[in-house]
Amino acid sequence: MSDSDTPGKPRRSTQSYGKLDKDGFIHRSWMKNQGLPDHVFDGRPVIGICNTWSELTPCNSGLRELAEYVKRGVWEAGGLPLEFPAMSLGETQMRPTAMLFRNLLAMEVEESIRGNPIDGVVLLGGCDKTTPAQIMGAASVNLPTMVVSSGPMLNGKFRGQDIGSGTDVWKYSEAVRAGLMSIDDFIAAESGMSRSRGVCMTMGTASTVSSLTEAMGLSLPLNGTLPAVDARRQALAHLTGRRIVELVKQDVRLADILTREALENAIVINAAIGGSTNAVVHLLAIAGRLGIELALDDFDRLSRDIPLLVDLMPSGRFLMEDFHYAGGLPAVMARIKDRLHTNAVTVSGAALGDQIAGAQCYNDDVIRPLDNPVNPDSGIWVLKGNLCPRGAIIKPNAATPALLEHIGRAVVFESIEDYKARIDDPDLDVDEHSVLVLKGCGPKGYPGMPEVGNMALPKKLLEKGVRDMLRISDARMSGTAFGSVILHVAPESSAGGPLAVVRNGDEIAFSGKNRSLSLRISDAELAQRLAEWQDSRPESEYTRGYAKLYIDTVLQADQGVDLDFLRGASGDQVDRESH
């Protein structure tokens, strides 16, 4: 397509800014109060910049500045950049959990893109839920779309050592509870851990999603790993602004890039980089917006035999800054190119294979060769059995190998409050062979499916030197976390899934090899327990507004935790005028 509009098909923005009538007057005149001259409404591409900047979202605190570099690129390419805000979801700040509001942000992004006279959009996000939500919303409208992520923080530093976001929080917290670290040292680590703008510099959910965005072809190369404060991220933002104008002129839309093959590439890459378990619910939700059939089982099937190549916390030693200097995601993709759809189209205009053709690794300790992986088993294991008829997941490279085949007695906590009240009780009937079971933390039950699945261990066991136990819940866990943790049990306990009827002392059998998770009672007893089960939780405090809408319509973990009525597309066409 040439720079001019397709005959008979004016750009979306022209439908508002190109009219020589009352409506056109209104659309143009009010925009001119920002100092925009007449000639910028000449039919050039109008690019929306969807910005989740917020001081309440530290991960995204650099995006206001980054937006200016996107604008430079848009102007340079002959477009008109118009920045607009979107709700920001601070993973470390929001209660009861940022995940409760991912779908609300997706709704806001969808309607903001759809309702405004823009031809393409650049999504500025970074914190765990912002980028997935933005992609979900943009996918339902399907304009030309690109992503610029916040970028990771610089490596954390504490007393001469590198420390990692989240990962070392969990380690230090357990050390304090075990009496191995003073509270003064614990507090002293705070400032050194987060010493620049950006997202977690471990392979948490934020760095995972920005890396997978690159793997899916929705961003320019190295978007996933460039440090937030590196000037080259500003240059990448500038180049993104230039490129989105070209995508509009060529009418290359999000769905042209984000195909089934792109999603499969993301699943493979998630295994190779040791990505977050949260990628599962986000990719499933994105697929649902695009009408792509993606199932939970695909994560296990596609990631089998994919080794863990990136030696990065929480599954290794290094941090995102080191990963970038070692060659970043292009170097990883080049090493496993035989497992990728290299013909997949990217926003750069090149096929993925061509884009990574010259990629090199500069540090084999950080990005391992195929014959010397961090772990030969990686990815996501999808479990089935009478305890999780619709599935559950575990991240094997974050688990203790000896616990990947395990039978133990259940120690049951009916809610997160019950867990917090009893976990350090010296009389708690628990030993290192027990299985900790947490209920009431799924999509509906919490609500929002919080990151509490990596339950801290009982203090009395920590004091004996125990550092891992098998843990099961309908919750999620942070991508920065580690341990033998089974997550996303579906259906959740609050929806009457089998997890709801597990009792103290029940034997639970887990086999990683067989991908099975079972409650060792008879089918008849399980059926009787389920028939007798009643939700004994107190009446929900969430009786109005978005939270009630969420509880009433949210899907289970195996379907991506989107709202049922949001799956699919709204499209970009809005026919009626506003005046």
Side-chain angles (χ1 to χ4, degrees):
M1 182 180 295
S2 68
D3 287 2
S4 60
D5 296 321
T6 302
K9 186 184 177 184
R11 292 194 179 110
R12 291 181 84 245
S13 60
T14 305
Q15 297 175 42
S16 293
Y17 298 135
K19 294 179 178 179
L20 301 178
D21 59 9
K22 177 196 69 176
D23 293 321
F25 180 106
I26 291 171
H27 289 302
R28 291 186 301 273
S29 178
W30 266 261
M31 292 297 288
K32 288 180 179 179
N33 78 358
Q34 301 176 87
L36 294 172
D38 292 342
H39 71 272
V40 301
F41 301 105
D42 58 5
R44 66 185 63 195
V46 177
I47 306 300
I49 301 173
C50 179
N51 196 346
T52 55
W53 170 86
S54 171
E55 291 179 341
L56 286 169
T57 306
C59 303
N60 293 1
S61 62
L63 291 178
R64 185 161 59 178
E65 178 184 357
L66 209 57
E68 296 304 316
Y69 289 88
V70 178
K71 292 177 186 177
R72 289 184 188 183
V74 173
W75 283 119
E76 183 181 357
L80 170 60
L82 297 173
E83 183 181 354
F84 63 94
M87 182 181 187
S88 199
L89 308 180
E91 182 65 33
T92 61
Q93 308 300 315
M94 294 193 78
R95 296 182 178 180
T97 170
M99 183 62 177
L100 175 62
F101 305 103
R102 182 200 66 177
N103 301 334
L104 179 59
L105 172 55
M107 292 172 71
E108 181 183 2
V109 170
E110 177 179 345
E111 301 305 337
S112 294
I113 295 173
R114 188 167 185 263
N116 281 296
I118 60 177
D119 304 303
V121 62
V122 175
L123 307 175
L124 297 186
C127 198
D128 293 19
K129 307 305 177 294
T130 54
T131 302
Q134 287 176 298
I135 295 174
M136 288 163 63
S140 289
V141 185
N142 194 31
L143 292 182
T145 303
M146 293 181 70
V147 177
V148 178
S149 300
S150 305
M153 288 185 277
L154 297 177
N155 289 358
K157 300 286 183 180
F158 178 58
R159 296 183 177 172
Q161 293 184 332
D162 282 355
I163 59 174
S165 307
T167 302
D168 281 310
V169 175
W170 318 129
K171 290 180 181 178
Y172 292 165
S173 177
E174 295 292 70
V176 170
R177 295 175 67 239
L180 302 175
M181 185 180 193
S182 72
I183 192 66
D184 289 340
D185 285 349
F186 182 70
I187 298 302
E190 284 183 17
S191 298
M193 181 169 287
S194 305
R195 65 189 188 92
S196 79
R197 294 172 300 179
V199 304
C200 294
M201 84 299 282
T202 49
M203 189 53 75
T205 303
S207 289
T208 296
V209 172
S210 60
S211 296
L212 300 189
T213 298
E214 182 179 337
M216 291 186 293
L218 289 178
S219 69
L220 295 179
L222 298 175
N223 173 74
T225 56
L226 266 167
V229 294
D230 194 312
R232 290 170 292 179
R233 181 162 291 279
Q234 297 168 338
L236 181 141
H238 184 133
L239 293 173
T240 299
R242 285 174 49 121
R243 182 60 188 158
I244 189 64
V245 174
E246 295 169 359
L247 291 180
V248 169
K249 292 176 179 179
Q250 297 164 8
D251 198 26
V252 177
R253 299 188 176 230
L254 186 147
D256 297 324
I257 307 294
L258 197 43
T259 61
R260 167 79 191 201
E261 289 73 22
L263 289 165
E264 290 189 354
N265 284 344
I267 293 171
V268 171
I269 289 299
N270 193 59
I273 65 176
S276 169
T277 52
N278 290 305
V280 176
V281 290
H282 298 323
L283 292 177
L284 287 170
I286 290 167
R289 295 300 185 100
L290 292 162
I292 296 172
E293 293 296 327
L294 189 70
L296 189 59
D297 289 342
D298 289 326
F299 287 82
D300 197 311
R301 176 180 61 82
L302 291 165
S303 63
R304 281 186 187 241
D305 304 321
I306 301 295
L308 175 61
L309 295 184
V310 181
D311 192 348
L312 203 155
M313 296 183 195
S315 301
R317 299 171 293 168
F318 298 100
L319 295 166
M320 289 296 293
E321 198 177 345
D322 308 304
F323 181 24
H324 179 73
Y325 301 148
L329 204 65
V332 176
M333 292 192 285
R335 288 198 161 163
I336 59 168
K337 62 184 178 182
D338 292 343
R339 297 296 299 269
L340 298 172
H341 299 286
T342 53
N343 61 338
V345 180
T346 71
V347 291
S348 72
L352 181 66
D354 294 332
Q355 188 166 280
I356 64 174
Q360 298 182 51
C361 176
Y362 305 106
N363 188 333
D364 282 347
D365 289 333
V366 179
I367 303 173
R368 299 285 193 89
L370 285 170
D371 60 0
N372 183 32
V374 182
N375 193 327
D377 270 325
S378 190
I380 302 294
W381 287 358
V382 177
L383 314 177
K384 293 290 177 68
N386 68 356
L387 192 52
C388 54
R390 287 172 53 180
I393 65 171
I394 187 170
K395 182 178 175 179
N397 58 55
T400 301
L403 288 173
L404 294 176
E405 302 287 329
H406 187 75
I407 298 174
R409 294 184 305 108
V411 178
V412 177
F413 302 97
E414 297 293 334
S415 67
I416 192 65
E417 290 76 21
D418 181 31
Y419 162 78
K420 290 179 177 179
R422 295 194 296 122
I423 191 62
D424 287 337
D425 185 341
D427 295 327
L428 184 67
D429 184 13
V430 64
D431 61 33
E432 63 269 29
H433 305 294
S434 299
V435 178
L436 303 183
V437 177
L438 176 62
K439 304 179 185 179
C441 293
K444 292 179 181 290
Y446 200 76
M449 202 182 178
E451 293 182 342
V452 296
N454 57 317
M455 294 168 266
L457 305 188
K459 184 176 182 180
K460 68 179 183 181
L461 296 184
L462 288 171
E463 291 171 344
K464 292 180 179 180
V466 177
R467 290 296 177 265
D468 197 10
M469 295 173 66
L470 190 64
R471 289 158 273 180
I472 301 172
S473 74
D474 44 16
R476 299 177 300 112
M477 77 174 181
S478 169
T480 68
F482 52 89
S484 304
V485 184
I486 296 173
L487 304 155
H488 303 195
V489 170
E492 65 177 297
S493 58
S494 299
L499 187 68
V501 299
V502 178
R503 298 173 181 171
N504 281 310
D506 283 344
E507 273 199 342
I508 293 175
F510 161 53
S511 172
K513 179 181 178 181
N514 297 321
R515 305 293 200 266
S516 64
L517 180 65
S518 299
L519 185 62
R520 300 184 85 182
I521 62 176
S522 68
D523 292 345
E525 181 175 354
L526 178 57
Q528 182 177 350
R529 288 190 189 183
L530 288 170
E532 294 173 351
W533 177 79
Q534 292 183 340
D535 190 352
S536 59
R537 294 175 301 153
E539 186 175 346
S540 174
E541 63 183 282
Y542 298 98
T543 58
R544 61 179 297 278
Y546 168 74
K548 184 178 188 308
L549 177 68
Y550 174 95
I551 293 168
D552 290 346
T553 63
V554 71
L555 297 168
Q556 290 294 294
D558 61 311
Q559 295 178 296
V561 199
D562 203 355
L563 305 187
D564 58 14
F565 62 90
L566 290 177
R567 287 169 67 89
S570 58
D572 70 308
Q573 192 62 38
V574 180
D575 294 323
R576 288 179 166 169
E577 261 294 355
S578 56
H579 295 87

